Amino acid sequence: MTELWTIPNNHVIGEIAERIPVDFLLPVNESEFSNLSYSVISGQLPAGLRIEGNKIVGTPFEVSRVQEYRFVIRAKFDGGVSDRTFKMAVGGPDAPRCIIVTGK
C-alpha cells in the first residue's frame, strides 16, 4: 500500500518569516486516499497559522526572538489514521528600539 506521508517523521520545515503569509501544502499522497481530514494532536502550530483543508496557512505573529515549534499532525482517512511530527521555527528582524536618556 502507498504511504500517506511523502516525508519522514520529525520533518524539519525550517524557519519561516514572521508577519509574512504562508501557504504550505501538507506533504501527502492525497490522490491515493479518500475522505482525508487533518488536525494537530500534539504541540502547536506557530501563533497565526492554522490547518485549512490540506494546507498550513496564515500569517505567523511577530516574535521577539526565533521561536521553535514541534507539532504532530494527524491525517484521518477511510480505513485509518496516520501521524507525522514536524519542526518549524519563526523568526525575523525586529524594529530597532530607541532609548532616550535624559538628565545631566
Side-chain angles (χ1 to χ4, degrees):
M1 179 175 189
T2 303
E3 287 287 323
L4 173 69
W5 297 98
T6 61
I7 45 87
N9 204 31
N10 292 308
H11 179 72
V12 177
I13 293 172
E15 186 172 320
I16 60 174
E18 63 189 13
R19 300 179 299 164
I20 303 293
V22 297
D23 188 343
F24 294 122
L25 273 173
L26 291 173
V28 294
N29 288 312
E30 281 211 327
S31 63
E32 302 289 324
F33 298 85
S34 58
N35 295 321
L36 280 161
S37 65
Y38 305 95
S39 60
V40 176
I41 62 164
S42 179
Q44 63 184 26
L45 291 170
L49 300 186
R50 64 196 176 281
I51 294 178
E52 280 188 4
N54 65 345
K55 296 180 178 184
I56 296 175
V57 299
T59 304
F61 293 173
E62 183 171 347
V63 293
S64 59
R65 64 184 187 290
V66 174
Q67 296 287 313
E68 293 184 9
Y69 298 84
R70 185 172 181 221
F71 50 92
V72 178
I73 295 178
R74 171 165 287 166
K76 290 184 181 181
F77 52 92
D78 281 348
V81 298
S82 183
D83 301 337
R84 195 62 39 168
T85 301
F86 295 88
K87 297 175 186 174
M88 173 187 291
V90 176
D94 291 321
R97 288 189 241 169
C98 181
I99 300 173
I100 299 173
V101 179
T102 60
K104 292 184 180 183

